[in-house]
Structure formats: structure tokens, C-alpha cells
Amino acid sequence: MIVDGPHFQATDEGELVFLLTDGDNSRRPTEHDILEPDEESPLRDNYYLRIPLEHRDSDRWRSEIAKYLAPLVLGATMGRLPWTLAAFPTGYELFLHKSPRPQGSAGSTLRRDFLLYGSTDVPFFSSPLEFVRHAEWLMRGAHRTPDRSRAPRCECKYCDVDGRNQKQSVISRELRARRARVLAQLGDGDADADSDADA
Ligand SMILES: [Zn+2]
């Protein structure tokens, strides 16, 4: 075990494990029905599909989150492992919202938006990179303000308790720069020229 608590674990196999959560099973999409993967039907055009942990889209989200989370919480001790999250924090769940495209737009397929639900502090996260700072906050002990609002002292786009009000594009740029610095420390600076496209 590379890190064993108090708030997270980092295993020798390259998995990050949350030991703290702000998750709640009641924080789920409510606007439309939630379907299981085997309940999809061409007759429906606006619904949330539950994405199980073993689904490749869950894998993709968890490894993309860990790619930028590992440099924050492990620094150079992350080494060269391809990191992933063993699971989302307890109470969190990934959904795929499928919805009709606006009239007149190109293509007949449904619009697809992946959304991570479950946080009590944030309605949902709409990309892996949006969740990275919030995940870091959980792994550092999920500290809150001492006042009555008990706001999370988290630097993600949504919590923003210090009013910095940063755009996700700025946060994402910082996350990529941090990863590049750690890789450079490891003597591996050219290994990460792949990621300018992911928001
Ligand atoms: Zn947050």
C-alpha cells in the first residue's frame, strides 16, 4: 500500500480508494426516469441510464479522474502506474442522460451527456475533470467552514467557497500543468501530449 489512510488509500495496483464521502443515495436525477442498461427501448427519448461500475464508460471516467487526481494527492510517489479509482465515493453513481436534440439540428441520434450524481454539495459533475478538485477535497479530509453554512472548503468549480469563481477551463489547465510537472519530475515529460481535447 502506497498510502493507507486516513482519508484515502493508494494501492500497489494503482487504485485510489475513497475512505470519506459526501455522497448520498437520494441525490439522483429526478427530471426523467432512470433506466437500467437492459431496459432501454427505441420508444423512449428522454431518460437517464444507470452506468454500472464494470461498464467501460465507468472505467473511462474513473481512469480520467485518477489521471489528474493522483498527481495532486500523491505527487511524484504516483510513479508510472496508470491510476484509476477503485470506485466512486459511496453514494455516488454515474448516469448517461439521453435526450432529444433541438429541432433542426443535425443527426437523428439522441444527445448523450454523462453526469456524476451523489454529492450532497453539488447537483452533479458533468465531466471527469470537473470532479477532480472535489475528489481531492474528499481525500484531504472534506473540511468545511466552521460557520453555520458548513460549506465545503473545496476548490472545484461548484463549491467555490472562497469566491474565486474559476472557469472549468482554467481549473483543467491547472490540473494538466500539475500532471505535466510531476511527470517531468519523474523524467517522463513527453509522455502526456495526449490530453488537450478532454474538457
Ligand atoms: Zn467541490
Side-chain angles (χ1 to χ4, degrees):
M1 195 83 82
I2 296 167
V3 174
D4 191 6
H7 306 304
F8 73 99
Q9 293 172 326
T11 73
D12 297 329
E13 291 75 41
E15 289 192 331
L16 294 171
V17 181
F18 290 93
L19 299 179
L20 257 189
T21 185
D22 67 336
D24 181 335
N25 287 326
S26 72
R27 305 277 293 183
R28 292 295 181 267
T30 52
E31 296 83 0
H32 304 285
D33 287 347
I34 294 175
L35 303 186
E36 306 303 327
D38 62 358
E39 293 176 328
E40 279 200 277
S41 143
L43 299 177
R44 309 193 65 134
D45 68 357
N46 204 338
Y47 55 91
Y48 293 89
L49 197 61
R50 195 190 308 275
I51 305 295
L53 201 64
E54 61 276 12
H55 193 280
R56 65 189 157 78
D57 286 316
S58 175
D59 277 340
R60 180 172 59 79
W61 264 65
R62 287 182 286 111
S63 56
E64 186 73 1
I65 291 162
K67 178 177 174 179
Y68 297 98
L69 181 58
L72 298 181
V73 297
L74 298 176
T77 58
M78 78 172 193
R80 289 157 199 286
L81 285 170
W83 287 92
T84 191
L85 303 183
F88 292 113
T90 302
Y92 278 62
E93 216 168 13
L94 184 63
F95 292 90
L96 173 56
H97 182 206
K98 292 196 179 181
S99 57
R101 295 180 186 278
Q103 290 287 329
S105 63
S108 57
T109 56
L110 295 176
R111 187 189 153 109
R112 294 158 48 89
D113 297 288
F114 286 95
L115 305 164
L116 181 61
Y117 277 80
S119 168
T120 50
D121 296 294
V122 175
F124 53 78
F125 298 91
S126 57
S127 75
L129 278 162
E130 279 191 5
F131 180 59
V132 171
R133 288 278 186 203
H134 199 80
E136 180 192 15
W137 170 72
L138 290 173
M139 289 193 164
R140 294 196 188 284
H143 297 294
R144 292 175 180 274
T145 57
D147 59 19
R148 251 188 11 186
S149 74
R150 303 285 294 151
R153 299 205 64 91
C154 168
E155 294 180 358
C156 82
K157 166 185 172 180
Y158 299 101
C159 295
D160 190 32
V161 71
D162 295 319
R164 297 199 304 160
N165 206 7
Q166 283 192 312
K167 286 187 184 149
Q168 184 58 37
S169 57
V170 174
I171 296 172
S172 295
R173 201 179 312 135
E174 285 176 4
L175 293 173
R176 289 194 190 95
R178 174 72 73 94
R179 177 175 161 81
R181 281 201 299 279
V182 172
L183 290 176
Q185 261 180 288
L186 294 168
D188 203 12
D190 293 327
D192 197 40
D194 60 332
S195 58
D196 262 352
D198 44 23

